[in-house]
């Protein structure tokens, strides 16, 4: 019988790293390794002792490292002082420590991938939900991908300038806009990695509003809009999509799909495609965690192409393992949504409900959302949807990282088609801010076209 091969590792690279640190202690700071990245048991112990000394501000050398290991009874386990001296002799220079670190990091990740695969192999025979199993596999692999990341911790002015240039040059195609011009000049677009929370009272067509936004984006950008509909089934989402996009009444749609109107289905699908509304992708799985949403979003991007926005309906129906109350669950999901947006580098729009206190007191505010502290803190933008005394639908800018807030817009809603036709300034204060926003936008366009402009 053949012997089982050892897991991926390089004892030589591990020795070279430890020897380099003993030779030049400051070389440790070039590394992003953890003790568990080392495979050889005694190397784990030695590197852990090195980390302990560095943490105390003590440079590791043969004496300090030997004493540290001896103090906890590990010196003999690593081969004694003689093995530490062997490590020092093994490495002639510390110049190549980053090269050796990449080898150790790669081997470590390969071992972690194998461990994750073994875990999935163990779970697979007992799983009744393949999608959940895939999500768990993704989460396990994602942890591998996030460990020991080599991205820069500190960005220089040049680094930030490069990122800013990329953002400015791609802002028009990367940012999510609502499709309502007066509102968009106030918000300026939800950039990749940013989150917009929409807080609404019941009876204000808030789910329809979110779907209007996603359809607008799909139509205008040609990118996929991902709609995580945890409340509505897919058949209702489709009906509403046709209502909103093609402005057809429900009885007309039902009649068309009952077979009473020959060619209706083909004509409808063709019109949805012509308008780009077929770029709306819907996931109807209930009670998803943030990790599962991220998994399915990555899957959509891999199989369907460029994604312009993620929409979630709604926060209160999401799941979160380990939470004990609704407040904890919503708070956790709100906080993690921001992290997810940054990891995916996509704009995220989430619908959430108001809390009981706000429902009693009337006008909607930033604190009106359930789990409000986390919702408000996680949101780059917050919109509120309410009815005024005249029964008009009002969209209120509650939080705006790009500028003005506490501004109200009156919605022109065609309830028959669930269609938000426009958002117009509700009062003079809002009108003045919209005018200023339009002037700023026009000024930016003018400056961009003025090639000879020199501020210096």
């Amino acid at each position: 019988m053949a012997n089982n091969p050892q897991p991926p590792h390089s004892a030589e690279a591990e020795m070279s790293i430890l020897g380099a640190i003993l030779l030049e202690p400051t070389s440790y700071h070039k590394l992003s390794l953890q003790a568990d990245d080392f495979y050889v048991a005694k190397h784990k112990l030695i590197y852990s002792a090195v980390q302990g000394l560095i943490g105390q501000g003590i440079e590791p050398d043969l004496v300090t490292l030997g004493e540290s290991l001896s103090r906890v009874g590990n010196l003999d386990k690593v081969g004694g002082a003689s093995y530490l001296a062997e490590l020092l002799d093994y490495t002639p220079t510390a110049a190549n420590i980053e090269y050796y670190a990449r080898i150790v990091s790669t081997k470590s990740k390969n071992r972690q991938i194998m461990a994750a695969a073994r875990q999935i192999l163990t779970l697979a025979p007992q799983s009744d939900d393949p999608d959940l199993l895939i999500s768990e596999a993704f989460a396990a692999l994602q942890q591998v991908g996030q460990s020991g990341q080599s991205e820069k911790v500190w960005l220089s002015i040049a680094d930030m300038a490069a990122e800013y240039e990329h953002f400015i040059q791609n802002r028009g195609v990367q940012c999510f806009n609502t499709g309502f011009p007066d509102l968009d000049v106030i918000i300026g677009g939800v950039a990749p990695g940013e989150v917009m929370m929409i807080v609404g009272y019941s009876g204000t067509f808030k789910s329809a509003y979110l779907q209007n936004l996603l359809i607008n984006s799909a139509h205008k950008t040609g990118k996929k809009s991902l709609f995580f509909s945890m409340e509505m089934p897919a058949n209702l989402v489709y009906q509403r999509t046709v209502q909103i996009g093609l402005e057809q009444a429900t009885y007309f749609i039902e009649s068309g799909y009952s077979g009473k109107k020959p060619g209706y289905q083909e004509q409808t699908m063709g019109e949805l495609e012509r308008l780009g509304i077929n770029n709306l992708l819907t996931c109807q799985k209930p009670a998803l965690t943030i990790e599962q949403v991220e998994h399915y979003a990555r899957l959509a991007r891999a199989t369907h192409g460029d994604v312009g926005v993620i929409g979630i309906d709604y926060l209160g129906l999401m799941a979160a393992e380990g939470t004990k109350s609704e407040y904890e669950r919503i708070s956790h999901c709100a906080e993690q949504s921001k992290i997810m947006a940054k990891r995916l580098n996509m704009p995220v729009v989430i619908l959430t409900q108001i809390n009981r206190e706000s429902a009693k007191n009337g006008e909607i505010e930033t604190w009106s959302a359930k789990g409000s502290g986390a919702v408000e803190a996680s949101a780059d933008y917050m919109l509120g949807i309410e009815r005024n005394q005249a029964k008009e639908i009002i969209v209120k800018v509650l939080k705006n990282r790009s500028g003005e807030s506490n501004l109200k817009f009156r919605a022109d809603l065609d309830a028959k088609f669930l269609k938000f036709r426009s958002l117009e300034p509700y009062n003079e204060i809002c009108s003045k801010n919209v005018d200023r926003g339009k002037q700023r936008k026009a000024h930016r366009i003018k400056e961009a076209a003025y090639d000879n402009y020199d501020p210096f």
Side-chain angles (χ1 to χ4, degrees):
M1 182 182 295
N3 293 327
N4 290 329
Q6 287 188 320
H9 71 283
S10 171
E12 295 80 6
E14 294 180 7
M15 291 176 68
S16 297
I17 290 171
L18 297 173
I21 293 171
L22 287 171
L23 191 66
E24 188 178 315
T26 57
S27 64
Y28 168 85
H29 299 291
K30 297 178 180 179
L31 308 176
S32 59
L33 298 173
Q34 300 301 320
D36 284 341
D37 290 322
F38 290 77
Y39 174 75
V40 179
K42 59 185 177 182
H43 295 165
K44 286 180 188 284
L45 295 175
I46 294 170
Y47 192 76
S48 182
V50 166
Q51 288 181 306
L53 289 170
I54 296 289
Q56 299 173 54
I58 301 172
E59 287 194 349
D61 55 29
L62 289 177
V63 175
T64 58
L65 186 56
E67 288 181 350
S68 176
L69 289 164
S70 179
R71 196 178 307 119
V72 293
N74 286 337
L75 185 59
D76 289 340
K77 293 179 183 178
V78 304
S82 60
Y83 186 70
L84 299 182
E86 183 182 337
L87 291 174
L88 184 59
D89 292 337
Y90 187 81
T91 311
T93 175
N96 298 321
I97 190 170
E98 291 175 281
Y99 170 75
Y100 298 125
R102 285 195 294 272
I103 295 175
V104 170
S105 178
T106 298
K107 302 292 185 184
S108 173
K109 287 185 177 180
N110 288 344
R111 294 196 302 273
Q112 292 174 60
I113 291 170
M114 292 171 65
R118 285 194 295 270
Q119 179 185 355
I120 297 304
L121 284 173
T122 302
L123 294 174
Q126 4 177 357
S127 174
D128 296 324
D129 188 342
D131 285 321
L132 180 60
L133 185 65
I134 291 170
S135 180
E136 290 173 346
F138 168 76
L141 291 172
Q142 186 181 57
Q143 288 182 350
V144 176
Q146 291 170 0
S147 63
Q149 290 180 340
S150 59
E151 70 224 31
K152 292 183 178 181
V153 175
W154 298 104
L155 300 179
S156 68
I157 288 294
D159 294 329
M160 291 188 290
E163 290 202 4
Y164 181 72
E165 179 184 14
H166 179 76
F167 170 73
I168 291 298
Q169 292 181 355
N170 294 277
R171 177 167 55 183
V173 295
Q174 288 188 334
C175 288
F176 165 75
N177 289 290
T178 67
F180 300 107
D182 287 354
L183 177 61
D184 286 331
V185 296
I186 296 297
I187 292 174
V190 183
E194 293 183 333
V195 175
M196 173 186 281
M197 295 285 185
I198 301 175
V199 190
Y201 288 98
S202 59
T204 55
F205 296 88
K206 56 185 182 296
S207 290
Y209 181 67
L210 174 60
Q211 201 166 343
N212 271 258
L213 300 188
L214 298 179
I215 288 172
N216 288 347
S217 180
H219 167 65
K220 290 182 179 297
T221 67
K223 297 180 181 181
K224 305 301 180 186
S225 291
L226 305 186
F227 185 24
F228 288 90
S229 178
M230 299 185 207
E231 185 174 32
M232 288 187 294
N235 56 356
L236 183 54
V237 173
Y238 176 74
Q239 177 183 286
R240 286 189 166 196
T241 300
V242 177
Q243 272 185 280
I244 297 166
L246 304 186
E247 297 184 25
Q248 296 182 4
T250 55
Y251 69 84
F252 190 84
I253 301 168
E254 291 171 1
S255 178
Y257 272 87
S258 68
K260 297 178 182 178
K261 297 177 181 178
Y264 171 82
Q265 296 181 34
E266 293 78 9
Q267 185 178 359
T268 298
M269 293 302 295
E271 193 64 10
L272 291 173
E273 183 175 356
R274 184 184 71 81
L275 294 173
I277 299 173
N278 63 331
N279 286 313
L280 179 71
L281 301 179
T282 300
C283 175
Q284 64 173 347
K285 289 182 175 294
L288 295 177
T289 64
I290 282 290
E291 292 76 19
Q292 289 171 318
V293 168
E294 182 170 344
H295 161 61
Y296 290 128
R298 290 182 187 275
L299 184 61
R301 188 160 57 184
T303 57
H304 294 282
D306 203 3
V307 174
V309 62
I310 295 172
I312 300 175
D313 182 12
Y314 61 94
L315 192 65
L317 291 178
M318 298 192 72
E321 294 181 5
T323 55
K324 299 178 181 178
S325 67
E326 181 186 42
Y327 183 89
E328 281 186 14
R329 177 169 52 81
I330 292 174
S331 296
H332 173 83
C333 291
E335 292 164 355
Q336 292 301 308
S337 69
K338 177 64 178 176
I339 297 171
M340 176 187 72
K342 293 185 73 173
R343 274 200 300 255
L344 291 173
N345 196 35
M346 292 184 193
V348 176
V349 182
I350 304 177
L351 196 65
T352 187
Q353 288 187 312
I354 62 168
N355 56 43
R356 293 178 182 176
E357 193 63 30
S358 181
K360 294 176 185 176
N361 293 339
E363 189 165 342
I364 204 163
E365 302 293 348
T366 53
W367 51 265
S368 296
K370 283 186 177 179
S372 60
V375 171
E376 181 183 353
S378 303
D380 298 286
Y381 309 90
M382 283 184 75
L383 301 180
I385 305 181
E386 61 189 6
R387 284 187 184 272
N388 62 12
Q389 292 182 344
K391 305 300 181 183
E392 297 170 313
I393 300 292
I394 303 299
V395 175
K396 183 177 180 182
V397 179
L398 302 172
K399 181 179 180 180
N400 179 14
R401 71 172 301 169
S402 298
E404 303 87 357
S405 61
N406 200 32
L407 300 178
K408 295 181 179 181
F409 294 83
R410 181 186 292 105
D412 178 6
L413 169 67
D414 191 334
K416 181 179 179 181
F417 304 127
L418 301 177
K419 178 86 170 182
F420 282 76
R421 296 194 180 280
S422 66
L423 295 179
E424 304 293 339
Y426 181 71
N427 52 30
E428 188 176 350
I429 294 174
C430 186
S431 294
K432 287 182 177 179
N433 279 282
V434 168
D435 288 342
R436 280 197 289 265
K438 290 178 179 178
Q439 290 169 11
R440 287 196 300 267
K441 183 177 180 180
H443 185 65
R444 285 197 300 268
I445 294 172
K446 183 178 179 181
E447 278 195 348
Y450 188 31
D451 295 334
N452 296 323
Y453 174 68
D454 184 0
F456 305 108

